[in-house]
Each structure stands twice: as structure tokens, then as C-alpha cells.
Amino acid sequence: MPLLGFTVRNHKSIRDEITLDLTRPSLRTLRPRDDDWNGVTYPLAGVFGANATGKSSVLDALRYTFSAISQSATAWQASKGMRRAPFRLDGSVRTASSTYELDFVHAGHRHAYGFEVDHDGIRREWLRDVPGSRWRTLLDRDRDTGVLKFHPSLRGRIDVTGRELVLSRALLFNESSLHTIARELVDRFDCVLVKDSPREARLRDIADSLAEGTITFPDVEALLQVAGIGVDGVSLEETETPKEVRRHLAFPHRGSADERPQFSIHEESDGTIAWLATAVPAVEALRKGGLLIVDEIDSSLHPHLLEVLLGAFADPAVNTRQAQLIFTSHESYILSPLSDVKLEPEQVWFTDKTYDGVTELTCLADFPRHPDANVARRYLAGRYGGTPHLSPSTLTALIVSGEDRGSGPP
């Protein structure tokens, strides 16, 4: 399922339509002449920018899209209204609809799947493919006109409620022709978030996967050895409660004592937690193919360790399943000549925020090319945007005013 591009409008800090393009400049038609999609898509794309410029909003829009496919026909039905997160700093936009579209490859053919949602539910939904040299409509849904059309090549009609996607409902029907598309999209997508609660949930998933055998102890131990963080292995601790069995990871550490004390996950460093929470889903994506998105991938990771991770996706000898990684980062080292992972301009994106709080997305390829330029230095200098607008004088004044207040008589 190579992802070719993603388009979103009206999601969190994204007010206007933006597109993240993962295709190489060599793709100038709807499909490559040799049908080698791997040769015309990038395995990596990085989104760089200052704090609060909307990097995470781009990834969250992707996560929302796949969540809607996975859950709008099931878990989301329990909500009173349509789950969505529109731009909130503009009254007219806040009540307007939002659109999401995936451009991807399924069964060797290019597909475009998208939907438009508002407070009441699904306003529009569409699916197109390119069986030859032009687009063909497979699904066309429009709430305003009451249209719900399926191409004759699709077996059977799927009826849906106003707040569920046809593709989400198709997940429940194995006999539907749309089932395989929906299933591949859902099964080949994963995300890693930087916040504490998602990371803890990810570590619980790792513990459950070890218990179920979907990943092995040698897998996790090998990843710990890659990081070189002094952890000798991993073990699994189980605590039974009346309702469930809770599993926790524990790690024996090297030391000068004969015994090897076990450290619980709560005693481990942020670096160990960040590495496992990111590396395990990365290995799974590389083994089976698919799309992995990671927010603030550099958080608590050394740049060289980050290089190892990015390098695995960039190396075609390792990444044989067309796995893709989209990440956000503040780490300029990745863009510098010192990095072993060389990102082409089309793989580097920047977010910036306007005075009105609107996220803008630009590509490094849109700027004048300087073959010998230090991209990292130019990025930090603000040549591409995406850098913070700092006011150190305000901090200085705050400190000085506090000192003045504290220097008065008791």
C-alpha cells in the first residue's frame, strides 16, 4: 500500500487545503510506465517546524483519516455527534466541513479515497482508481443530492447511516469488493505519538505481543542491543486482577554486581522507552509493509540512533516491503551534511503558522536549489520558515522585574 499523497482541509490548525506529496518528480503521469510504484514513491518524509506550527496537526489528520475508516461504523456510532476537529480560530470555518483524501496504490493500481465530514456526519465520500490511463469512479456518495452509486465492478451494495463511511462498513462484510481495500488500509497503518499516555499504551501492546508471540523476546533484545543503552534483556511480569491480566516489561541491567537487578518500565530512562515505543512498530512496518507515522521522532533519541531508524527505511536492501515512514522533528542534524541519511528536497517539508494561527505546509523543493548549501544551517537561520519567532528580551525583562520585586525591604 504505497501512499502517494495526502490532502486535508479544516483540521485542527489546518484551515486551508494542504497536500503532503510522497511521489518522486519522475512520476509525471497517473501511473509509472513500468508499473514500478516503488521506484516513484519515497519511503521517508520529514515534517520540520517550530513548536505550535502544526506539525502534529498534519499527522493527526492522517490518524483521523485511518481511524474514521476503522471505527466510524463501529465505535464512533456511540458518540452523539460526528467526531471531528475543525479549525477553531475562525467562526465560519469552525462550522464548515472538513475534507480528507488518500492517494495510494492497491493491487498495483492507483486509488484515491476521500470523504468530507461536518457536524451532522458524512457529507461526501468517493473512491476512484486508474485501471488504464484515466480515473474511474468506483464509489460516489453525496448527502446533499442523496446519491450513493457503486461501479458495476463492485459486488453488492452497502447501506450506511449518516455518520459512517462506506469503507468502514465494508470492513464488516468479507464478501464486499471494498473489504480488501479497507482492510489493507487499516492493517497497514500505525502511529506513534510522543505523549506519555500513548507511549505507555504502546509499551502495554508490546508486552501483550510478547505474551501472544506476535513479536519475540529476541526481537526486543536485539533492538535494545542496537541502542547500546546497557540493558541486557527483557522479561515479562504479569499481575492478575479480577477482570484481566496486566502485563509489564522489566529489564535486567549490566553492572558490577553478580546479580542483575530488574528495572521496571517506570524506572527506565525516557530514551529506552522512546526507543522501544518507536523501534518495535518500525520493525513491524518494515517486515510487513505499510505506513508508520511518528510524531516528534527525535524526542529522547540520540541523532545517531535516529539515523539507524531512518536508514532502515531508506535502504532498499532492508526495506523490501515498500514500508513508509512519515515523521515530525525539530532535529536539524538530519538535514545536515553530517547525517548519513540523505533526504532529497521533495522529502523535506516545513510547517509555519500565520498571524491568524493557520498552519502552512511547504516543501524544500519549492525553494531555490543550492547544491552545496547546508540545508540545516539555512533552516535554523529561518530561510525556509518553520523556525520559532523568539523574544529573548521578554524573558530577560521578566527575570529582571522579578529580581526587582524580590530586592525590596522585607
Side-chain angles (χ1 to χ4, degrees), residues 20-325:
L20 182 68
D21 189 356
L22 297 179
T23 61
R24 299 177 185 270
S26 58
L27 182 63
R28 300 177 180 176
T29 55
L30 289 179
R31 55 188 295 181
R33 293 181 179 180
D34 56 1
D35 285 332
D36 179 18
W37 288 105
N38 192 37
V40 296
T41 55
Y42 287 114
L44 283 170
V47 183
F48 300 82
N51 291 332
T53 57
K55 300 186 305 299
S56 297
S57 292
V58 177
L59 296 196
D60 189 77
L62 261 170
R63 187 174 67 91
Y64 173 87
T65 303
F66 284 92
S67 296
I69 298 171
S70 174
Q71 303 178 41
S72 66
T74 52
W76 285 17
Q77 291 297 302
S79 301
K80 294 181 179 180
M82 187 67 194
R83 293 191 184 182
R84 57 190 298 256
F87 185 79
R88 298 174 60 186
L89 301 180
D90 184 320
S92 60
V93 177
R94 190 187 311 134
T95 57
S97 61
S98 305
T99 58
Y100 308 82
E101 184 176 67
L102 299 169
D103 189 354
F104 63 99
V105 178
H106 169 73
H109 295 299
R110 184 174 190 168
H111 288 69
Y113 172 73
F115 55 90
E116 179 181 352
V117 301
D118 57 19
H119 175 76
D120 296 324
I122 312 299
R123 185 175 181 182
R124 294 176 57 234
E125 185 179 5
W126 60 91
L127 175 65
R128 300 184 294 163
D129 72 342
V130 184
S133 59
R134 62 182 62 184
W135 287 106
R136 174 181 67 171
T137 299
L138 297 175
L139 166 67
D140 184 19
R141 175 185 183 184
D142 191 319
R143 185 184 66 199
D144 296 339
T145 62
V147 169
L148 180 56
K149 293 182 180 180
F150 297 86
H151 191 271
S153 64
L154 299 179
R155 300 188 306 272
R157 176 187 175 91
I158 299 177
D159 293 321
V160 290
T161 66
R163 290 193 289 112
E164 62 182 339
L165 295 170
V166 170
L167 216 59
S168 183
R169 174 59 62 176
L171 280 173
L172 307 177
F173 297 101
N174 294 340
E175 64 276 8
S176 169
S177 301
L178 296 175
H179 176 83
T180 55
I181 297 176
R183 178 52 58 192
E184 182 178 38
L185 287 172
V186 170
D187 289 348
R188 298 296 180 89
F189 172 78
D190 200 357
C191 68
V192 176
L193 303 178
V194 71
K195 297 178 181 178
D196 289 340
S197 55
R199 275 189 180 177
E200 291 177 2
R202 172 67 63 180
L203 294 173
R204 288 195 298 270
D205 289 342
I206 294 173
D208 290 340
S209 295
L210 284 170
E212 296 163 2
T214 53
I215 59 173
T216 67
F217 285 93
D219 288 341
V220 178
E221 290 167 357
L223 289 173
L224 292 170
Q225 291 175 10
V226 169
I229 48 184
V231 180
D232 268 353
V234 61
S235 63
L236 195 61
E237 297 179 345
E238 295 186 346
T239 303
E240 293 190 15
T241 66
K243 294 183 178 180
E244 61 181 348
V245 176
R246 295 181 179 178
R247 302 183 178 94
H248 308 277
L249 299 176
F251 305 91
H253 279 245
R254 293 193 299 270
S256 58
D258 293 334
E259 70 277 3
R260 297 192 306 165
Q262 299 251 41
F263 284 60
S264 72
I265 196 63
H266 300 291
E267 298 173 303
E268 280 299 332
S269 69
D270 289 342
T272 300
I273 295 173
W275 172 245
L276 285 180
T278 305
V280 170
V283 167
E284 292 177 339
L286 288 164
R287 283 177 171 175
K288 69 180 183 180
L291 174 65
L292 174 66
I293 63 174
V294 182
D295 195 18
E296 295 190 25
I297 195 171
D298 55 303
S299 177
S300 300
L301 292 182
H302 190 279
H304 290 170
L305 193 55
L306 180 56
E307 275 189 315
V308 171
L309 195 62
L310 301 183
F313 281 86
D315 188 350
V318 177
N319 186 2
T320 61
R321 300 285 185 176
Q322 298 184 352
Q324 292 172 294
L325 171 63

Side-chain angles (χ1 to χ4, degrees), residues 344-394:
E344 297 180 21
E346 290 79 9
Q347 294 176 272
V348 179
W349 298 79
F350 303 106
T351 54
D352 214 341
K353 188 170 284 188
T354 69
Y355 179 80
D356 296 328
V358 177
T359 291
E360 296 179 332
L361 182 69
T362 56
C363 184
L364 178 58
D366 296 332
F367 294 88
R369 300 203 177 198
H370 302 272
D372 299 326
N374 187 320
V375 174
R377 183 179 301 168
R378 295 172 69 88
Y379 163 62
L380 292 175
R383 299 289 184 90
Y384 310 120
T387 51
H389 304 287
L390 304 178
S391 179
S393 60
T394 303

